[in-house]
Amino acid sequence: MGVGSGGTRNISGTNRPLVELERSLAELHHKEGALVFTSGFVSNEAGIATIARLLPDCIIYSDQLNDASMIQGARQSGMQKAIFRHNDVAHLRELLAQVDRKRPKLICFESAYSMDGDVAPIKEICDLAEEFGALTYIDEVHAVGMYGPRGGGIAKREELMDLIHIIEDTLAKSFGIMGGYIAANKAIIDAVRSSVAPLS
């Protein structure tokens, strides 16, 4: 499917099976919508860069051990970045407290880190996001298919999906096919679909 789409998603690159796939992925994560990309790397790079660029003067808070695709997305955004020590909620709080509450903020982290095998303090990070008015962006590529009801991931297992604004996953690990995606509310998905760089 999808051979010879002839254009971007908004012009001629959307087809019924793709829309049905996105609907299924959104439902898996209790979100209003999803957007599929060519790979998990691209979904992180394009997702983070686009969302941050759409928020005027956004600052990105990134876990020290985030995947290279997330780091690249933060770089591509051109926005200010603040790196917090790995899974260190106290350090993240210190960094958040240094910035005006009204300034747009995006906290990017993974649920399960493949190199160390540890799990993020998701609830604590989400609590900080709520306190300081930040969006949460979680990479669940090492958890979807492994944890939670229907393999929905660690955030779903811990019943924290309502606190997560954007979830990212790859189709290339537990699903065993090519592609990646983000899932979020309809406004975020529509904004990314309309604004993402053409090469994505």
Side-chain angles (χ1 to χ4, degrees):
M1 296 302 298
V3 174
S5 67
T8 65
R9 289 293 301 276
N10 284 342
I11 298 172
S12 59
T14 295
N15 53 55
R16 184 182 181 91
L18 190 54
V19 170
E20 291 175 352
L21 170 62
E22 289 173 339
R23 188 178 297 126
S24 295
L25 293 169
E27 190 273 332
L28 176 65
H29 298 295
H30 301 275
K31 298 300 179 191
E32 294 177 347
L35 185 61
V36 170
F37 293 87
T38 54
S39 73
F41 193 103
V42 172
S43 59
N44 260 338
E45 180 181 26
I48 292 170
T50 304
I51 292 165
R53 280 197 305 261
L54 288 170
L55 299 169
D57 197 30
C58 179
I59 179 168
I60 300 171
Y61 296 86
S62 181
D63 187 285
Q64 186 178 19
L65 295 187
N66 274 347
D67 186 76
S69 59
M70 302 178 80
I71 294 168
Q72 184 64 13
R75 285 182 182 148
Q76 290 287 345
S77 75
M79 298 293 119
Q80 181 182 346
K81 295 165 285 296
I83 310 300
F84 60 95
R85 290 187 291 271
H86 179 54
N87 282 346
D88 190 333
V89 178
H91 188 219
L92 176 58
R93 170 181 283 280
E94 289 176 22
L95 295 173
L96 287 165
Q98 295 171 10
V99 176
D100 189 328
R101 274 190 53 86
K102 295 180 181 178
R103 185 175 179 186
K105 305 169 190 69
L106 181 65
I107 303 174
C108 301
F109 62 106
E110 299 183 44
S111 61
Y113 290 83
S114 62
M115 299 305 289
D116 294 345
D118 53 355
V119 174
I122 300 172
K123 174 67 164 58
E124 290 82 357
I125 291 174
C126 289
D127 287 345
L128 279 181
E130 184 175 4
E131 180 181 347
F132 288 93
L135 291 175
T136 50
Y137 181 108
I138 190 170
D139 175 321
E140 284 248 55
V141 302
H142 303 114
V144 169
M146 299 289 292
Y147 305 97
R150 296 178 56 215
I154 292 176
K156 189 167 182 179
R157 181 190 70 182
E158 303 298 323
E159 299 183 349
L160 298 172
M161 284 310 307
D162 289 345
L163 302 179
I164 301 291
H165 297 104
I166 304 110
I167 181 171
E168 185 274 343
D169 185 36
T170 182
L171 297 171
K173 294 191 184 320
S174 62
F175 293 114
I177 55 175
M178 187 174 182
Y181 63 91
I182 61 170
N185 68 30
K186 189 175 185 297
I188 292 175
I189 294 300
D190 285 347
V192 173
R193 182 185 293 114
S194 300
S195 305
V196 69
L199 56 82
S200 301

